[in-house]
Amino acid sequence: MTLHNRGVFMPRTKMRVAILATAVGLAAALVPSPASAGACGAGGNYFDGFYYNPNDVGHLMRGSHATIVARPSTQCTGSENFSTSWTMWEGGTTGLQYVQAGFMKITSHGFTEVFSEYNNGTGHTRYYSGVQAVDGSTAVFETRWSFNSVACPSTTNCASTYKGNTLLQRTPFDPTNWPSPYYNEVFGETSNVEANVPGSPSSPTTFSAIKYINGNNAHVSQPCGMTARLDIPSRWAQDTPACDQRRVWTK
Amino acid sequence: MRRLLSTSVATCIAAGAVVLATHVGAGAEDAYTEGQARSTETPVRFRFDDPRGEARVSAGAAVAAVRAAGHLPEGVRPVVALGQFTDRDFGPVVNGDVQPLIKDRLAYVLTFEAPGRPGGGGVHTPTGGHAVIDGCRHTFVVDAISGDYLSGVEDCSR
């Protein structure tokens, strides 16, 4: 019994054994985990990460790119909730026009899974790939503009999301119709204050080889100058090992 | 796998399935409503054709697999149907064409409506975030031979 996709990911049977072994090991050693999450309160969107506007260096933006290390998250209990890490191409002014891809865990009893999501301001569509990611595994995620492509589902131009070379999702709209400027983003995010962003002080969530795709369809290494956002500084943290490498975690 | 009933007793239509009968398991874990798979354009990426062959895991086990993955809210009873499943948008792209990694797989499709919470852009989303959207269409798929949860879509678009 195995999962349908491999790469850095594990067959389900092996993963169950690994999870059991890990759980036993952690229990025996009483290793402290990231700050314990509590019962879920009111839901929303809470962020720990970085963003950048390529217009600042005269570039149009046509996609985002990052290598992300999967980390488990401790989540709140009592309602549906998520904890996630992703790369995103955002436009508009409402926070509801975006294309993203990365890892997501749903509820305290779910597992970390490759996902992708788009939103044209009229409600989101989220794809769950069923691909489970173990702690420390990495994957390259990208959002990318497709110009004059027959592959776009209902428009001439659209955006596509990828894990490596594997297509995850295509939008039924052209994101370049969004009001500019556009932003390149890497974030940890939760749906509840009480949940933990993925990562711990000893094993943070790492975003590396951060890039954006410019108007010439070239991948540009993320320069210095990303802006930080940290909604819950009492519980979460972040740092910048390099301009194109960022980390987030729960204290 | 319990064979599906005749479509003549279909009583209502849900996203991706025609409802045929309701089943309540010994516990809440496997409660579901039996249906018949059909191709659906919402979401556009999932294709379902008539099933070929017999499932090796029960519909209740498929429901439990989706619940274990964190995707089935408490108190929600999905419609479950058996069919040949293809995810047309998951796979490598070769010369502009997607090569589906999951193609013509005997699978259970679970559909239900439930609220969904959007992610949000990290620049413009105000502190506290966005509101939940009611009535989102959820579709999740489980391999009917191995019992593995395969994929899903939460469609809250209007």
Side-chain angles (χ1 to χ4, degrees):
Chain A
M1 184 181 298
T2 58
L3 295 176
H4 56 273
N5 196 11
R6 296 294 178 274
V8 296
F9 303 93
M10 296 178 67
R12 177 166 289 179
T13 303
K14 290 181 180 178
M15 190 179 72
R16 286 172 176 158
V17 172
I19 290 172
L20 179 60
T22 301
V24 170
L26 287 176
L30 295 177
V31 174
S33 60
S36 297
C40 294
N45 303 84
Y46 301 92
F47 298 91
D48 181 358
F50 302 85
Y51 60 89
Y52 180 79
N53 172 10
N55 275 358
D56 292 345
V57 291
H59 283 170
L60 294 174
M61 182 175 155
R62 293 291 182 264
S64 66
H65 175 109
T67 299
I68 305 176
V69 178
R71 295 299 184 192
S73 56
T74 303
Q75 294 177 229
C76 56
T77 56
S79 72
E80 304 307 312
N81 61 95
F82 62 69
S83 178
T84 178
S85 55
W86 42 256
T87 176
M88 175 183 284
W89 171 7
E90 179 185 2
T93 59
T94 63
L96 289 171
Q97 290 179 299
Y98 57 82
V99 183
Q100 66 184 145
F103 298 110
M104 176 177 277
K105 179 182 170 186
I106 299 290
T107 79
S108 57
H109 63 271
F111 54 77
T112 304
E113 180 176 2
V114 171
F115 89 107
S116 175
E117 179 174 328
Y118 61 74
N119 194 334
N120 197 28
T122 55
H124 65 282
T125 300
R126 181 179 302 148
Y127 171 65
Y128 299 102
S129 71
V131 177
Q132 303 178 33
V134 298
D135 184 13
S137 62
T138 64
V140 177
F141 293 99
E142 184 167 291
T143 70
R144 185 190 310 166
W145 192 48
S146 298
F147 173 73
N148 197 21
S149 172
V150 295
C152 292
S154 55
T155 53
T156 302
N157 307 327
C158 64
S160 303
T161 62
Y162 292 85
K163 169 188 163 287
N165 294 320
T166 300
L167 177 68
L168 298 175
Q169 209 172 26
R170 294 185 285 201
T171 68
F173 56 85
D174 182 354
T176 63
N177 289 328
W178 294 335
S180 60
Y182 305 141
Y183 291 88
N184 184 31
E185 305 179 26
V186 289
F187 272 95
E189 178 193 356
T190 72
S191 61
N192 294 73
V193 171
E194 300 82 4
N196 291 349
V197 293
S200 66
S202 59
S203 300
T205 295
T206 301
F207 305 89
S208 60
I210 302 169
K211 301 172 184 173
Y212 62 88
I213 301 173
N214 69 13
N216 294 324
N217 200 33
H219 288 67
V220 179
S221 184
Q222 176 61 51
C224 297
M226 294 190 95
T227 301
R229 175 173 176 174
L230 178 54
D231 284 357
I232 310 177
S234 62
R235 297 183 55 240
W236 301 346
Q238 58 180 222
D239 71 1
T240 303
C243 292
D244 68 346
Q245 182 182 349
R246 310 282 170 148
R247 303 190 301 184
V248 303
W249 65 91
T250 294
K251 295 178 180 176
Chain B
M1 163 59 187
R2 176 186 298 110
R3 291 192 65 82
L4 298 177
L5 304 177
S6 164
T7 56
S8 64
V9 299
T11 54
C12 64
I13 296 174
V18 177
V19 175
L20 298 175
T22 297
H23 303 266
V24 179
E29 287 292 286
D30 61 352
Y32 65 97
T33 300
E34 193 173 83
Q36 184 177 47
R38 64 176 188 179
S39 294
T40 174
E41 295 305 312
T42 306
V44 66
R45 64 183 304 148
F46 287 170
R47 177 184 176 90
F48 297 100
D49 294 308
D50 291 340
R52 299 189 302 274
E54 294 287 324
R56 294 182 186 172
V57 297
S58 69
V63 175
V66 173
R67 188 183 301 280
H71 294 306
L72 188 60
E74 295 297 325
V76 171
R77 178 177 296 174
V79 175
V80 181
L82 186 66
Q84 300 297 133
F85 169 64
T86 298
D87 184 345
R88 294 183 287 188
D89 275 1
F90 179 54
V93 179
V94 179
N95 296 325
D97 294 325
V98 181
Q99 310 295 310
L101 292 171
I102 304 175
K103 184 176 182 180
D104 198 26
R105 188 89 62 94
L106 184 64
Y108 289 105
V109 53
L110 284 65
T111 56
F112 57 91
E113 288 194 357
R117 180 176 298 286
V123 179
H124 296 298
T125 298
T127 300
H130 303 295
V132 163
I133 299 173
D134 290 325
C136 299
R137 301 164 297 280
H138 297 252
T139 304
F140 289 92
V141 184
V142 174
D143 190 302
I145 302 300
S146 68
D148 286 343
Y149 154 61
L150 293 177
S151 59
V153 167
E154 176 179 309
D155 183 4
C156 300
S157 61
R158 296 291 186 259

